[in-house]
Amino acid sequence: MPKLTRAVLVICAVVILSFCAWLGFVACHYTAPVLMYHYINDEEPHKSRLGVSPKSFERQMRFLKEHNYNVTSLAELVDLIKYKKKIPCKTAAITFDDGYLDNYINAFPILKKYNLPATIFVVINRIGKRLGQDEYMDWRQIKELSDSGLITIGSHSMNHPNLSEIDSDEELRYEIFASKKILEEALQKKANFFSYPFGGINPVVRDLTREAGYAACVGTNFPRGYPADDIYALKRLRISENSKNLFIFWIETSGFYTYIKEQRDTY
């Protein structure tokens, strides 16, 4: 065999093996992004990383729609993970924490416009209240969202404490169990999802959410290497106004940003 031909074959073999290795790496580190929003208004982005302007939010939702993302409900994503089904490329889920009024006023019309499902986690004892500059949805608005067929309402506890810092079993059960019961009685449907306030979780808290009957829970700030398929500790990505840059938003929704972020935050 001529030397040139042999060299070409070796190079081709190296390229093929490298490509296969890359595919294996991709498969191991892909995590369907669960996007986490809080405020959708024009004021909060100037004060914290928890705010996204309505204009930026619409651009992001339009990006997901126009680029044919498989935006699923949290229930559909959990089903894929729980039963180890193949997760379609470009799958994503949208979630909101706290139940701010601007979710109803600003976010909901945009979600309806693009027909994108989302889950909103509400704090029971803040419903219908104004606390400082923060105004929360009332029960009528929450019921309207729940009845829309587009929005799933989940629990974000009774009072929004960091559950990992609570030692009292009675208090933990109140925050986890009572919030579920109240939501179900008010909305006349199952409250299947829970969001850990401040991302606070430990083995006791996780076990109590299972005992309470939640189908899955979401959080943030899990240790590096924490499994991506634990449906009682689903990882989320906080979306801020920085993501008005759609290149950044594309990276965040790629399915690999969770892995990139864990590596970045560790070193």
Side-chain angles (χ1 to χ4, degrees):
M1 181 183 294
K3 290 183 178 180
L4 181 59
T5 302
R6 188 181 301 116
V8 170
L9 288 175
V10 169
I11 292 171
C12 289
V14 169
V15 170
I16 291 170
L17 289 173
S18 298
F19 180 70
C20 290
W22 179 79
L23 286 178
F25 176 86
V26 164
C28 288
H29 295 98
Y30 179 84
T31 302
V34 181
L35 310 182
M36 177 180 66
Y37 292 92
H38 288 77
Y39 302 90
I40 306 296
N41 63 46
D42 288 315
E43 293 76 34
E44 191 64 27
H46 300 291
K47 298 186 289 185
S48 79
R49 296 182 65 190
L50 297 180
V52 174
S53 68
K55 181 179 179 180
S56 294
F57 183 71
E58 173 149 20
R59 291 184 71 221
Q60 291 164 3
M61 297 304 102
R62 184 168 65 245
F63 177 89
L64 296 176
K65 194 71 175 180
E66 291 180 348
H67 289 82
N68 299 312
Y69 275 73
N70 177 41
V71 180
T72 71
S73 68
L74 197 56
E76 291 170 323
L77 179 59
V78 168
D79 183 74
L80 291 172
I81 295 171
K82 181 178 180 180
Y83 296 105
K84 301 186 184 304
K85 300 177 182 178
K86 179 177 175 57
I87 298 178
C89 180
K90 297 168 72 173
T91 292
I94 301 167
T95 67
F96 298 79
D97 275 359
D98 300 329
Y100 296 111
L101 179 60
D102 59 43
N103 293 181
Y104 175 81
I105 295 174
N106 297 328
F108 182 45
I110 294 170
L111 292 169
K112 283 198 297 184
K113 178 178 178 179
Y114 296 104
N115 194 34
L116 299 175
T119 299
I120 299 178
F121 295 98
V122 298
V123 181
I124 300 299
N125 285 335
R126 296 182 181 179
I127 292 173
K129 294 182 179 179
R130 184 184 186 95
L131 303 174
Q133 298 299 312
D134 295 334
E135 193 168 358
Y136 297 85
M137 294 184 292
D138 60 29
W139 279 114
R140 179 191 63 78
Q141 293 159 338
I142 291 171
K143 182 75 162 54
E144 180 184 338
L145 294 179
S146 179
D147 290 343
S148 70
L150 204 60
I151 307 298
T152 299
I153 303 297
S155 169
H156 201 28
S157 78
M158 294 295 296
N159 297 295
H160 201 276
N162 188 328
L163 300 177
S164 67
E165 298 176 354
I166 297 175
D167 296 323
S168 166
D169 182 73
E170 181 181 1
E171 187 176 348
L172 284 174
R173 287 178 177 272
Y174 173 67
E175 295 290 343
I176 296 169
F177 285 69
S179 59
K180 187 178 194 296
K181 182 180 179 182
I182 290 171
L183 273 181
E184 291 178 343
E185 289 176 348
L187 302 179
Q188 292 296 294
K189 61 178 64 174
K190 285 286 188 180
N192 285 324
F193 304 105
F194 186 86
S195 172
Y196 300 108
F198 301 104
I201 182 178
N202 57 32
V204 172
V205 171
R206 182 189 177 282
D207 288 347
L208 283 174
T209 59
R210 289 193 66 179
E211 183 184 336
Y214 291 102
C217 304
V218 298
T220 53
N221 304 319
F222 298 119
R224 179 187 174 216
Y226 197 92
D229 60 352
D230 183 349
I231 60 173
Y232 287 93
L234 292 175
K235 302 176 182 181
R236 289 189 295 174
L237 298 171
R238 180 184 61 200
I239 304 298
S240 70
E241 186 67 7
N242 289 339
S243 303
K244 68 181 179 182
N245 181 322
L246 292 180
F247 178 73
I248 293 176
F249 188 67
W250 171 71
I251 292 174
E252 291 174 331
T253 57
S254 67
F256 304 104
Y257 186 70
T258 297
Y259 175 77
I260 295 169
K261 180 177 180 295
E262 286 180 350
Q263 303 305 307
R264 182 197 67 192
D265 293 346
T266 300
Y267 299 106

